[in-house]
Amino acid sequence: MSTSEPPTWPHCAHGADPADPVGCRGIHVPGHTACLAHLTDADRDAYLTGLTPGDNIDHRGTTFTDSLLASLLDALRDPAIGIVRLGNAEFSWATFEGRALFGSAVFEDDALFWSAKFKSVAAFELANFKGKALFGSAAFGHIARFQSATFEEAARFESTTFEKATIFSSAVFKGEAYFHSANFKGMTRFWLATFESRAVFRWATFERVTFGLATFKKSANFGSVTFKSGASFGKVTFESNATFGSATFESNARFGSAIFKRIAAFESAAFKKSANFGFATFEKSVWFGEAIFEEDAWFRSATFATAEHFGPLVCAGRMVLFGAVFGGPVTLSFAARRLECRRTRWSATAEIRLRYATVDFAHAVFEYPLTIAAEPDPFVLTDGSELAESGLAGAPGPGVRVVSLRGVDAAHLVLADVDLSVCLFAGTVHLDQLRLEGACTFDTAPSSVRWRRWPPVRFTERRVLAEEHHWRATQPGAVRGWNVAVLGAGRVGPLQLAPVYRALRKAFEDGKHEPGAADFYYGEMEMRRHAGDIPRTERGLLTAYWALSGYGLRASRALAWLAAAMLSTIVLLMAFGLAQDTPKQTATGTVPAGGGKVTFEIDKDDPQNPAGDRFTGERFEKALNITLNSVVFRSSGQDLTTAGTYIEMTSRLTEPVLLGLAVLAVRNRVKR
């Protein structure tokens, strides 16, 4: 009989009410013209006396008081074992005004409670339903207790209303369990319940529910269910498919230590509060496509044995995969504010495609290629539409930022189009084998001139690691512009950063990105110059190398020194190096009277400094000619004073070196 159909049996004529022309809906007791509630005392006693344990009974539409129900159940109690035994029990549309105490009862055939009303406590604990248990559209106005009950065939609770606490703890459902469209308004417990066949909860509504330690041996369907005040599935075992598609969790959702042995389907599920899947095990596919986490999603130490895809999904809070294990090839697609992958383990190739996310990948372990990439456009779903990202409307931008790679073996790591400006690299292994694809950006040195007493300091733009920012900002007399707020930077200094810069330089060189490699070479040299374990002489050489040409990378600095050296040479030559006049040669000797051999001694006076104005246009032209020849390591052939000779020698030694440093710097910037 449909739960929505009105009763069609002969109604009891008693209890007629002008507002209810039908009167009492109770079905006639066999052989009588009234329901059990309206029989005379003598007729009722005669009927009850004639019942034996295991008889079929039909009391549809009957209203039961405490005493009337107790009398009926006592008549069906087996004196040998002291429990109530019922055959086919028909209580559809019945009303239980008092307590309905069916504890430990045995229903040897079907138990029909369609549209029944339980106004007080309904107790079915330890009951054994050997046939179908049909409670569709029933209304439990008070506590409903089914703990340790056994349902050997189908248990149907569809569209049932539970106003107060509902207890199915340790219940065993051997047949199919139907709870779709049921409304659980109080606390609901399925603690240690066992579902040996299919369990259907589609469109059900739970105010607060716990399935802790329950076991679903067949498929469990919670599609479109609404969990209003918390849902607990801690340590639940789903031996077949678990479906939570389009479910809504309005409060915290707890799946800690749950075991999903087949498909775990949460597509389009909405988690409005924190969702905890910590230590959960997913042995097969995981479906979270279009799922929305409005707060944090915890998958701490979860195990994904063979999941091929995880997402695409939206997480407005943190997506925590701390300690998670991925056993097979997998693709993760997240639009999340923060992704924490610390100490994760990846046993096969993996691709992590992200939007909006800040990623912490410290101490992750992977043996095969792993890619972390920024997705430029919203994720495309299977139907061709784009994943809605309204929950991330306040996020700074769709870019992806990596904050830590410490403790990672980067030999198989690929980063694509990510922001590394705040990334911590110290402690990363095989960093020289890191592959950077696309537009991976780093932080830069403070721009423009910074005043630090005297002289002013100007930092030329270059790629700088976050740890260097932190170290420089904490040094005495540090200029403004270095970022001290680098979370987790610790006490890393030049000694630790020099090998990091060296490894990144090699990674850029292997990627044929020479300008980028040049920046990291500069950083490496800077860290060497400031390290406390090098001798003073080496530090002095490095300081001179830095000051003259920025370690052979700053052409402007080398050219500036070259211009200064040339100008100094010109001034010194004009002042002390150029002779006043070109010395004339003279020949002296005596001609013998009788002829013969004549010997002449030719001598030239030493060039003299002019006594008058030394800074004339003519002298400037000569000094410039000498200087330009010196730059290209050539002799001018000019007559110079003794001081001028030494000035030219010095010029011919230093200025070509400065010119070479400038050429080297340009080469390092344009080389491919």
Side-chain angles (χ1 to χ4, degrees):
M1 181 182 296
S2 171
T3 59
S4 60
E5 293 178 358
T8 58
W9 55 82
H11 298 152
C12 177
H14 293 271
D17 189 319
D20 183 6
V22 176
C24 175
R25 298 175 182 269
I27 193 170
H28 296 171
V29 174
H32 299 275
T33 59
C35 68
L36 183 62
H38 293 108
L39 286 179
T40 63
D41 291 344
D43 289 342
R44 184 184 304 113
D45 291 342
Y47 168 72
L48 295 175
T49 302
L51 294 176
T52 59
D55 280 352
N56 298 332
I57 57 173
D58 185 355
H59 294 291
R60 285 171 286 174
T62 303
T63 299
F64 287 92
T65 61
D66 276 349
S67 58
L68 180 60
L69 181 60
S71 298
L72 175 63
L73 297 181
D74 285 342
L76 297 168
R77 192 178 304 277
D78 190 334
I81 56 177
I83 62 174
V84 176
R85 292 174 45 233
L86 303 93
N88 189 82
E90 177 65 87
F91 289 96
S92 298
W93 286 279
T95 299
F96 298 89
E97 297 283 352
R99 295 176 299 169
L101 304 179
F102 288 87
S104 300
V106 176
F107 296 85
E108 297 181 351
D109 204 336
D110 294 346
L112 294 88
F113 288 86
W114 291 112
S115 299
K117 295 181 180 179
F118 299 86
K119 294 187 176 181
S120 186
V121 174
F124 290 85
E125 65 267 32
L126 293 170
N128 188 351
F129 297 87
K130 293 186 176 181
K132 297 182 180 68
L134 308 179
F135 287 84
S137 298
F140 292 85
H142 210 277
I143 296 174
R145 300 203 301 260
F146 288 86
Q147 63 264 40
S148 300
T150 301
F151 300 85
E152 297 191 8
E153 293 190 21
R156 305 187 69 97
F157 289 86
E158 58 265 47
S159 301
T160 303
T161 300
F162 299 89
E163 296 284 345
K164 301 293 183 180
T166 305
I167 305 171
F168 283 90
S169 299
S170 299
V172 178
F173 297 84
K174 295 184 177 181
E176 295 178 335
Y178 294 95
F179 288 87
H180 53 272
S181 300
N183 190 357
F184 297 86
K185 296 184 178 182
M187 176 63 192
T188 305
R189 295 184 179 90
F190 283 86
W191 188 265
L192 284 170
T194 300
F195 297 82
E196 296 186 2
S197 189
R198 186 171 57 151
V200 180
F201 289 84
R202 287 181 63 83
W203 301 294
T205 301
F206 292 93
E207 185 68 29
R208 188 177 180 187
V209 62
T210 175
F211 282 84
L213 291 170
T215 300
F216 294 85
K217 295 188 177 182
K218 299 292 183 180
S219 62
N221 192 334
F222 290 86
S224 301
V225 170
T226 299
F227 301 91
K228 291 187 175 181
S229 297
S232 178
F233 290 83
K235 298 184 179 180
V236 171
T237 300
F238 297 91
E239 296 187 1
S240 188
N241 296 343
T243 302
F244 289 83
S246 300
T248 300
F249 298 84
E250 296 185 358
S251 189
N252 296 337
R254 300 180 180 89
F255 288 83
S257 300
I259 299 175
F260 298 85
K261 294 189 176 182
R262 298 292 295 276
I263 296 173
F266 289 84
E267 63 268 35
S268 300
F271 299 86
K272 297 184 180 295
K273 298 293 183 180
S274 175
N276 185 358
F277 289 83
F279 298 93
T281 299
F282 300 89
E283 296 186 3
K284 298 292 183 181
S285 298
V286 178
W287 297 351
F288 277 88
E290 298 184 72
I292 298 175
F293 296 87
E294 297 187 10
E295 293 189 4
D296 295 345
W298 292 80
F299 289 84
R300 181 187 179 100
S301 299
T303 299
F304 300 84
T306 59
E308 296 180 356
H309 301 279
F310 191 0
L313 58 81
V314 175
C315 181
R318 293 181 297 165
M319 175 63 67
V320 181
L321 295 176
F322 184 98
V325 177
F326 293 86
V330 63
T331 298
L332 280 61
S333 303
F334 300 152
R337 291 183 185 270
R338 185 175 180 88
L339 174 61
E340 296 186 4
C341 291
R342 288 175 294 165
R343 301 190 182 280
T344 51
R345 298 184 64 87
W346 311 77
S347 299
T349 56
E351 182 179 18
I352 307 174
R353 305 202 66 83
L354 303 170
R355 286 175 57 78
Y356 296 96
T358 297
V359 185
D360 185 349
F361 215 71
H363 303 288
V365 178
F366 46 94
E367 304 169 4
Y368 297 89
L370 186 146
T371 300
I372 302 175
E375 189 73 18
D377 301 311
F379 295 108
V380 178
L381 305 175
T382 54
D383 60 359
S385 62
E386 294 183 346
L387 179 66
E389 300 175 342
S390 56
L392 298 169
V400 176
R401 296 154 295 280
V402 180
V403 298
S404 180
L405 291 175
R406 286 187 170 179
V408 169
D409 186 341
H412 301 288
L413 181 60
V414 179
L415 303 178
D417 299 310
V418 298
D419 182 355
L420 299 170
S421 60
V422 296
C423 186
L424 305 179
F425 287 96
T428 306
V429 181
H430 294 143
L431 190 56
D432 58 322
Q433 299 179 41
L434 174 67
R435 286 183 55 191
L436 301 175
E437 304 288 347
C440 292
T441 59
F442 290 81
D443 206 347
T444 58
S447 59
S448 71
V449 176
R450 303 286 175 169
W451 293 91
R452 182 181 59 184
R453 298 181 181 175
W454 186 260
V457 177
R458 181 182 183 277
F459 296 99
T460 54
E461 186 175 350
R462 64 179 174 91
R463 294 174 178 84
V464 177
L465 297 182
E467 286 110 328
E468 183 180 346
H469 262 275
H470 176 78
W471 171 74
R472 287 188 181 274
T474 56
Q475 297 306 296
V479 300
R480 297 180 59 186
W482 295 104
N483 181 20
V484 70
V486 180
L487 183 63
R491 297 184 178 181
V492 175
L495 192 62
Q496 294 79 22
L497 288 178
V500 175
Y501 273 113
R502 187 179 307 118
L504 286 172
R505 170 177 62 83
K506 186 177 184 301
F508 271 75
E509 289 174 346
D510 293 343
K512 306 302 180 184
H513 189 351
E514 295 295 338
D519 279 351
F520 289 105
Y521 173 72
Y522 192 103
E524 175 191 354
M525 299 299 287
E526 277 287 272
M527 295 301 99
R528 284 183 57 195
R529 183 167 69 91
H530 289 93
D533 65 335
I534 64 172
R536 288 187 177 182
T537 54
E538 183 178 346
R539 181 178 287 109
L541 289 174
L542 291 175
T543 302
Y545 192 21
W546 162 76
L548 291 175
S549 64
Y551 309 111
L553 297 172
R554 300 293 181 259
S556 59
R557 192 177 304 179
L559 290 174
W561 280 108
L562 176 60
M566 292 175 65
L567 180 60
S568 300
T569 301
I570 292 172
V571 172
L572 291 174
L573 286 174
M574 292 175 66
F576 307 106
L578 295 178
Q580 181 176 4
D581 296 308
T582 301
K584 297 181 175 56
Q585 295 180 347
T586 58
T588 59
T590 303
V591 179
K597 184 178 180 180
V598 178
T599 301
F600 292 93
E601 181 180 344
I602 301 175
D603 197 4
K604 182 170 67 174
D605 294 336
D606 291 335
Q608 301 296 318
N609 284 317
D613 188 4
R614 304 183 183 188
F615 298 97
T616 63
E618 180 181 359
R619 292 175 64 81
F620 174 78
E621 183 178 357
K622 290 182 178 181
L624 179 60
N625 183 47
I626 296 171
T627 303
L628 292 176
N629 278 281
S630 297
V631 171
V632 295
F633 211 73
R634 292 178 56 190
S635 175
S636 64
Q638 295 282 347
D639 291 317
L640 302 174
T641 64
T642 302
T645 301
Y646 285 106
I647 293 171
E648 183 186 33
M649 292 170 59
T650 303
S651 174
R652 290 178 63 189
L653 176 64
T654 58
E655 291 169 6
V657 172
L658 294 173
L659 179 61
L661 291 175
V663 173
L664 177 64
V666 173
R667 172 59 175 161
N668 286 331
R669 285 301 176 183
V670 300
K671 183 180 178 182
R672 285 292 183 271

